[in-house]
Amino acid sequence: MKVRTQLTRYKEAAVTERPALDALLDEILVAHVGFVSDGHPVVLPTAIARDGDSVLIHGSTGSPWMQTLARGVPASVAVTALEGLVIARSAFASSVNYRSAVLFGEFRVVADDPKESALIRLTDALLPGRSAEVRRSRPRERAATMLLTMPISQWSMKVADDWPEDDDDDIAGPAWAGVIPIRQAYLPPKPAPDLGTNREVPPSVRALGESSLI
C-alpha cells in the first residue's frame, strides 16, 4: 500500500534529510492547512512556526476551523518557497524552481502551561527578537487564542533547482533561455499613523530589513 509520503512523480527531486526540511520550515511564514470539515475539503492559509520537532499554528478560540483541527482530524500542512522561473525556449518546457514540503498528521491543543512559551516562539518566528520588545500577553488574550501543534513525523519534500531542458531543435532556435531567480525582500518599515514622536525603529525591525540587503 502506498504511504502518504511516497512520491509518485519526479522521485529524483525527493529530499529526505530532516535538516533540509527544518530549514524550509524556519524560512516560510505561511502554510496551507488542508482537512475535511462537514464532508467538504478545506484548505486555509495561516502563519506557521517550527518548534523543535513540531509545527505551531494559532487562531481564535471561536474559529470553526481551529475547533475542527483541535478535535484531531487528519490534516496536511503544505509549505513552498518559490525560488526561480525556469525560462525555456518553449512554453511547454518552462517551469519553476522551488523547495516544497507536505506534512501529515493530527493537531492537538497546546496546554496552558507551555502555551505562553509557544506563543513567544511563534512571535519570534515571524519577527526574530520581537517578543523581548513588547509586553507579555494578557490572560484574556491568551484565553482568546487557540494554539495547535502537530508533530513532524510524516512528511515528504521536493526540491527543483534546474536549468531549462529543451529539445535540440529548440536549442538551435533563436529564443532566449535561462533562470530568473526569485528572492523575498523586506522593504523599509512604515510607522503606524498613531505612532508617537521620538520612537526609534526597534532592533528586531532593523535587523529584518538589514537581512534583505545581504
Side-chain angles (χ1 to χ4, degrees), residues 75-213:
S76 64
V77 177
V79 294
T80 302
L82 183 62
E83 301 192 317
L85 299 179
V86 181
I87 310 301
R89 296 169 179 87
S90 68
F92 177 80
S94 298
S95 61
V96 296
N97 284 336
Y98 62 89
R99 288 174 294 143
S100 68
V102 181
L103 289 68
F104 301 95
E106 296 80 36
F107 284 95
R108 63 173 178 82
V109 178
V110 177
D112 288 339
D113 189 29
K115 188 174 183 179
E116 184 169 7
S117 61
L119 285 171
I120 290 173
R121 171 65 191 129
L122 187 59
T123 298
D124 285 345
L126 298 176
L127 182 56
R130 185 57 175 165
S131 62
E133 300 171 342
V134 296
R135 63 169 174 78
R136 294 175 58 183
S137 297
R138 297 188 175 107
R140 63 176 176 82
E141 294 172 334
R142 292 195 296 273
T145 303
M146 182 182 294
L147 194 62
L148 301 179
T149 180
M150 174 193 281
I152 302 173
S153 57
Q154 302 180 64
W155 57 275
S156 63
M157 180 175 177
K158 294 172 68 174
V159 173
D161 184 16
D162 300 319
W163 292 103
E165 296 182 359
D166 289 303
D167 294 336
D168 290 343
D169 55 341
D170 287 326
I171 293 175
W176 184 90
V179 172
I180 303 174
I182 298 174
R183 177 185 176 190
Q184 177 174 280
Y186 294 95
L187 302 180
K190 299 178 179 180
D194 57 356
L195 187 68
T197 59
N198 300 321
R199 302 289 178 87
E200 294 184 357
V201 177
S204 64
V205 177
R206 289 202 308 270
L208 198 63
E210 291 168 358
S211 68
S212 293
L213 302 177

Side-chain angles (χ1 to χ4, degrees), residues 42-65:
V42 179
V43 177
L44 294 171
T46 187
I48 190 172
R50 183 179 69 89
D51 186 18
D53 291 328
S54 63
V55 291
L56 297 168
I57 64 172
H58 78 300
S60 169
T61 53
S63 166
W65 74 273

